[in-house]
Amino acid sequence: MKTAIETHNLTVAYNRRPVLWDIDFQVPEGQLIGVLGPNGSGKTTLLKSVMGLVQPSSGYVRLFGQSLDEVRSRISYVPQRESVDWNFPISVREVALMGRYRKDKLLGRLSREDHRLADEALEKVGMLPFADRQIAQLSGGQQQRVFVARALAQQADLYLMDEPFAGVDAASEEAILTLLQDMKQAGKTVLIVHHDLHTAHQFFDWMVLLNTRLIKCGPTPAVFTTEYLRQAYGGQLTILSQVADLVKARDFPVRERSFKDQPK
Amino acid sequence: MSDFFTFSDPNVRLVTAGTILLGMSAAIVGTFTFLRKRALVGDAIAHAILPGVCLSFIITGEKHPVYLLVGAVLAGWVSLLVMDYLSSRTKLSTDTAIGAVLSVFFGAGILLLTSIQHSSSANQAGLDQFLFGKAAAMTRQDIWVFSGVAVVLLGLVLAFFRSFKLISFDPAFAKSIGLPVRRLEFLLSTITVLAVATGIQAVGVVLMAALLITPAAAARFWTDRIQVMVLLAAAFGLLSGLFGSWISYTAPSMPTGPWIVVLLSLIAVVSVVVAPQRGIWARLRLQRGNARKIRQENILKAFYGIGEAADAPVATVTVEALRQQRPFEDRALELGLWELARKGLLHRHGAGTYALTPTGLRESRRVVRLHRLWELYLTERMNYAADHVHNTAEAIEHVITPEVEAALLKELDHPILDPHDAVIPYQNPPKPSAS
Ligand SMILES: Nc1ncnc2c1ncn2[C@@H]1O[C@H](COP(=O)(O)OP(=O)(O)OP(=O)(O)O)[C@@H](O)[C@H]1O
Ligand SMILES: [Mg+2]
């Protein structure tokens, strides 16, 4: 398996306080990958440093074996929904079209093809009927789907999504998930920051468990174990015991497998 | 007045065109300032420009527009950098940093201005027009330079519109696709500083923020499209510029700036009141419409209820009977009956008696149907107790659209009875009544 993302000794600090310590992992291409950890464990920060939005104090990131700038057009980033002002006076279609903006085309108009791809992306997430609505007139879940559509319009190979399921109802979650599965079938890599432990082990092929430091990275069965979850979620034992029960009830393998792709 | 609007005087033409251009470019640039929630920053830049203008006069001894612009832009940029530094590198909050920069720079500007006036340099006359603006005092050269700058700014904003839109909406995403966000932000800030530096010719330092922000704020009330918003803001800027020139023309002793701002404020107030959807008036009308609908539908329901109790639609119903069916307010009942009669849903059969017309009967069945469907939905799907759903349904029955009704019918599979075992009245009953 080829490597989609690898980080080497990645350390990130805000105002000199490190929130990611020496993160070292790699994830393979063509998988659905979950990034999990409690609130404030640095999941968003990890995504931002992969996208070059925050400057690491040390370490570096490689994507498809190259630097971000070399492969930028193959990468798509979906920020947390709360990161923008949804009262901004633009329509759903305009947001989707932003996925077609290119750094070498700052000026000038978008082509007909760009418009087609944006509409196609909206269609895929079921938001085409709302294309002309102002984005404030959408529910939270619909706004999230618009963000996903913008990412789809980019036609990237690697998607980094920050909590795309936050505030999304079960039906939308299902729809987005089906979409992600399709994308995986088409050979795309999707890395998702996710909160809900209950659904995580069903969604993801691969997991990155984080709490300021890297707890564990690997295929889901190897990572989603009581031991690693306890390390990641520490005090939050109530969730943990719930999840442990879940794992037990579903007869999930709790035992760690030896795993050779793991970097030193 | 007529003299002014024929624009026969070339001088008037020039001043007017210049003022209009300044107003428009400030309004268009200001749209982005407004959308990026930088209104306060715009105000601080405007005030901070004063010492730059004064210094450039002191150093060059001339009131040449290019020198003044250079001084203004430098001062504007220094103020931006200081604000940035203060809010990111110290524990000061952003608004404190902005306020500090505004007052310190403006204070320094006033100090310099006073010292220039005391030094009685022959050229000084007119420098204090920067405080409140006086478009008519612009020389030909001033007008050409400032209008030229305004046109360049307009062109830049148009050319980079798409990119500016994106970095205003979602800078993180813009960065993720490799747009040179820092450089674009630098460009936008420079454009803003320049728009402010030229705009103070018209309204002066103190009121510049109004010229920058008010048109956009007013335009936002009218539209949800950034493109339309920019055009509207430009139109408001144009109007106020025209008005300002007219004031300068008819009353040369009047300060132009305050009048421009007065007109802009007027436009803003009018927008707040009459804008569709968001405006106060539209909302009042909507509420009045809702009240009217509720009033009428409740009366129709009372008619239906009387008919249902009598087991057949009743030919005529007295106002007294309606009152017994439901405790109406006198005024509302009177008004509602009158409205319904006028809409052709009711017939008046002499003093105090009314009958439903066929349309009225259909309407009354519809309202009752919605009420009962909703009650059923609450008990069946939301697990409410049957004796808890009436009050909610009283409100919701007036809101349900035909689409929602269709969805309810499908979801509940065209039910016959509501939770209280009352028959749900259909327009075309599914099957003839069993009795
Ligand atoms: N811009 C910032 N300046 C200073 N500290 C920050 C900043 N952004 C995040 N932090 C801190 O860094 C830590 C990690 O934040 P991050 O947003 O990456 O967490 P997260 O795992 O995404 O949390 P959540 O689940 O709440 O989204 C937190 O302690 C947070 O307080
Ligand atoms: Mg986060």
Side-chain angles (χ1 to χ4, degrees):
Chain A
M1 263 189 296
K2 286 209 215 122
T3 302
I5 309 174
E6 51 185 305
T7 67
H8 294 275
N9 306 320
L10 189 71
T11 300
V12 183
Y14 289 116
N15 307 323
R16 300 238 195 89
R17 189 171 68 84
V19 295
L20 285 180
W21 268 110
D22 220 8
I23 307 288
D24 227 30
F25 71 87
Q26 19 189 304
V27 292
E29 277 186 39
Q31 306 280 320
L32 279 181
I33 303 144
V35 176
L36 289 103
N39 286 125
S41 56
K43 305 180 294 291
T44 297
T45 307
L46 178 68
L47 245 60
K48 285 188 171 168
S49 40
V50 170
M51 286 317 296
L53 300 176
V54 296
Q55 207 54 45
S57 11
S58 76
Y60 62 95
V61 177
R62 309 231 92 193
L63 302 166
F64 299 117
Q66 289 169 294
S67 76
L68 174 66
D69 278 323
E70 289 169 304
V71 291
R72 190 166 317 251
S73 62
R74 295 175 63 194
I75 320 288
S76 164
Y77 171 62
V78 181
Q80 246 170 314
R81 181 163 57 88
E82 300 80 46
S83 65
V84 305
D85 170 17
W86 289 91
N87 276 319
F88 203 84
I90 51 176
S91 66
V92 167
R93 179 175 281 119
E94 276 176 279
V95 177
L97 270 172
M98 286 173 178
R100 302 303 307 160
Y101 289 14
R102 290 286 169 269
K103 64 174 176 210
D104 43 6
K105 267 186 68 184
L106 279 182
L107 308 168
R109 304 178 64 88
L110 293 167
S111 73
R112 182 165 298 179
E113 177 71 0
D114 291 328
H115 281 265
R116 194 185 63 74
L117 287 169
D119 276 9
E120 192 180 282
L122 284 174
E123 170 95 74
K124 277 191 192 151
V125 299
M127 289 301 292
L128 194 55
F130 302 90
D132 291 314
R133 279 229 196 149
Q134 199 243 330
I135 50 176
Q137 298 160 10
L138 301 175
S139 70
Q142 290 172 327
Q143 292 173 343
Q144 195 69 68
R145 273 145 71 187
V146 173
F147 260 11
V148 173
R150 180 174 70 180
L152 290 180
Q154 288 183 266
Q155 303 211 299
D157 294 322
L158 170 62
Y159 293 81
L160 305 169
M161 305 190 175
D162 203 343
E163 306 215 19
F165 299 120
V168 171
D169 60 50
S172 303
E173 181 172 308
E174 193 67 38
I176 296 180
L177 206 65
T178 315
L179 207 69
L180 298 181
Q181 294 286 0
D182 291 348
M183 286 159 64
K184 182 189 144 189
Q185 296 307 323
K188 316 274 189 187
T189 312
V190 186
L191 181 122
I192 291 178
V193 171
H194 194 63
H195 236 118
D196 188 359
L197 283 177
H198 297 258
T199 48
H201 71 284
Q202 297 171 307
F203 288 0
F204 301 117
D205 310 316
W206 200 280
M207 278 188 188
V208 180
L209 200 54
L210 212 62
N211 191 349
T212 310
R213 67 207 187 280
L214 179 72
I215 305 294
K216 185 75 185 163
C217 167
T220 299
V223 177
F224 204 75
T225 65
T226 330
E227 180 47 33
Y228 290 131
L229 288 176
R230 193 195 307 281
Q231 283 183 31
Y233 286 84
Q236 294 162 311
L237 283 169
T238 42
I239 307 177
L240 190 70
S241 56
Q242 267 175 334
V243 173
D245 290 346
L246 251 173
V247 170
K248 205 177 282 172
R250 284 165 199 267
D251 196 22
F252 235 90
V254 183
R255 171 177 40 87
E256 186 195 354
R257 282 186 201 152
S258 64
F259 174 49
K260 46 185 185 307
D261 285 2
Q262 180 84 7
K264 46 121 193 102
Chain B
M1 176 159 180
S2 54
D3 279 4
F4 174 78
F5 284 104
T6 56
F7 297 112
S8 46
D9 184 340
N11 216 25
V12 172
R13 259 200 320 258
L14 200 64
V15 170
T16 308
T19 315
I20 284 177
L21 267 174
L22 297 187
M24 282 173 63
S25 78
I28 289 181
V29 173
T31 305
F32 288 101
T33 317
F34 173 79
L35 287 176
R36 279 157 36 104
K37 305 195 168 65
R38 299 280 174 85
L40 268 180
V41 176
D43 196 21
I45 294 175
H47 282 79
I49 274 176
L50 189 63
V53 169
C54 294
L55 272 180
S56 94
F57 177 75
I58 291 174
I59 293 167
T60 63
E62 256 188 282
K63 231 188 96 206
H64 191 284
V66 172
Y67 296 153
L68 295 187
L69 264 185
V70 170
V73 169
L74 285 180
W77 253 108
V78 170
S79 75
L80 260 180
L81 291 179
V82 174
M83 279 185 269
D84 226 32
Y85 179 84
L86 286 181
S87 55
S88 66
R89 293 297 161 85
T90 68
K91 286 198 159 56
L92 293 182
S93 69
T94 310
D95 53 344
T96 313
I98 296 171
V101 166
L102 185 152
S103 35
V104 169
F105 274 69
F106 188 57
I110 294 288
L111 212 68
L112 289 173
L113 198 61
T114 320
S115 86
I116 291 172
Q117 264 159 354
H118 283 297
S119 72
S120 77
S121 147
N123 241 333
Q124 116 235 344
L127 207 55
D128 57 344
Q129 85 198 34
F130 281 112
L131 277 182
F132 291 112
K134 190 148 189 258
M138 286 193 281
T139 65
R140 277 187 107 70
Q141 190 185 30
D142 289 348
I143 293 175
W144 282 115
V145 172
F146 293 128
S147 311
V149 172
V151 170
V152 170
L153 296 186
L154 289 181
L156 280 174
V157 171
L158 285 187
F160 286 95
F161 191 80
R162 203 150 48 77
S163 306
F164 287 164
K165 181 173 80 179
L166 178 53
I167 64 168
S168 306
F169 172 60
D170 193 348
F173 179 80
K175 226 169 158 187
S176 82
I177 60 173
L179 285 194
V181 173
R182 291 195 80 112
R183 260 177 280 166
L184 285 168
E185 270 176 350
F186 179 82
L187 180 65
L188 191 52
S189 298
T190 309
I191 288 176
T192 312
V193 171
L194 272 168
V196 169
T198 52
I200 56 174
Q201 300 299 318
V203 298
V205 165
V206 180
L207 296 173
M208 184 55 214
L211 190 66
L212 198 66
I213 300 301
T214 318
R220 186 65 183 88
F221 272 90
W222 296 90
T223 179
D224 277 336
R225 290 269 178 285
I226 186 171
Q227 292 86 347
V228 181
M229 189 178 158
V230 165
L231 289 180
L232 272 179
F236 295 156
L238 184 152
L239 272 180
S240 66
L242 191 64
F243 179 80
S245 325
W246 175 62
I247 291 282
S248 302
Y249 178 77
T250 48
S253 62
M254 282 278 187
T256 324
W259 279 105
I260 291 185
V261 172
V262 164
L263 183 75
L264 277 177
S265 313
L266 220 65
I267 292 176
V269 170
V270 169
S271 304
V272 169
V273 176
V274 309
Q277 288 168 44
R278 253 183 283 274
I280 294 175
W281 195 48
R283 258 186 272 160
L284 278 181
R285 244 184 19 177
L286 191 70
Q287 282 164 13
R288 286 238 314 271
N290 289 344
R292 197 180 318 129
K293 188 160 187 277
I294 292 173
R295 180 163 68 220
Q296 297 175 0
E297 292 184 348
N298 283 341
I299 295 177
L300 289 173
K301 251 183 2 178
F303 270 93
Y304 184 89
I306 293 170
E308 194 175 42
D311 215 8
V314 179
T316 60
V317 170
T318 62
V319 172
E320 213 30 62
L322 286 172
R323 256 190 243 289
Q324 276 166 20
Q325 183 69 21
R326 188 189 178 98
F328 287 105
E329 278 176 35
D330 291 351
R331 170 101 188 93
L333 183 57
E334 210 174 296
L335 195 62
L337 285 170
W338 180 78
E339 287 165 345
L340 286 166
R342 216 180 51 151
K343 279 168 76 179
L345 301 180
L346 282 184
H347 273 312
R348 208 171 107 94
H349 271 240
T353 50
Y354 291 85
L356 287 173
T357 63
T359 333
L361 181 62
R362 207 162 41 210
E363 266 301 290
S364 71
R365 296 172 72 90
R366 186 184 67 84
V367 180
V368 173
R369 181 169 65 248
L370 294 183
H371 180 99
R372 294 184 177 167
L373 279 174
W374 188 250
E375 285 189 338
L376 195 61
Y377 181 73
L378 288 183
T379 50
E380 293 261 299
R381 293 291 185 271
M382 317 278 276
N383 295 321
Y384 278 82
D387 54 348
H388 269 81
V389 293
H390 178 77
N391 288 339
T392 328
E394 273 295 305
I396 300 300
E397 68 196 14
H398 307 293
V399 180
I400 294 176
T401 59
E403 295 81 56
V404 177
E405 184 190 346
L408 277 174
L409 284 174
K410 195 165 159 229
E411 169 89 20
L412 298 169
D413 195 20
H414 297 264
I416 311 278
L417 297 177
D418 81 352
H420 314 294
D421 289 334
V423 176
I424 298 175
Y426 288 95
Q427 228 57 273
N428 308 303
K431 48 186 167 207
S433 152
S435 63

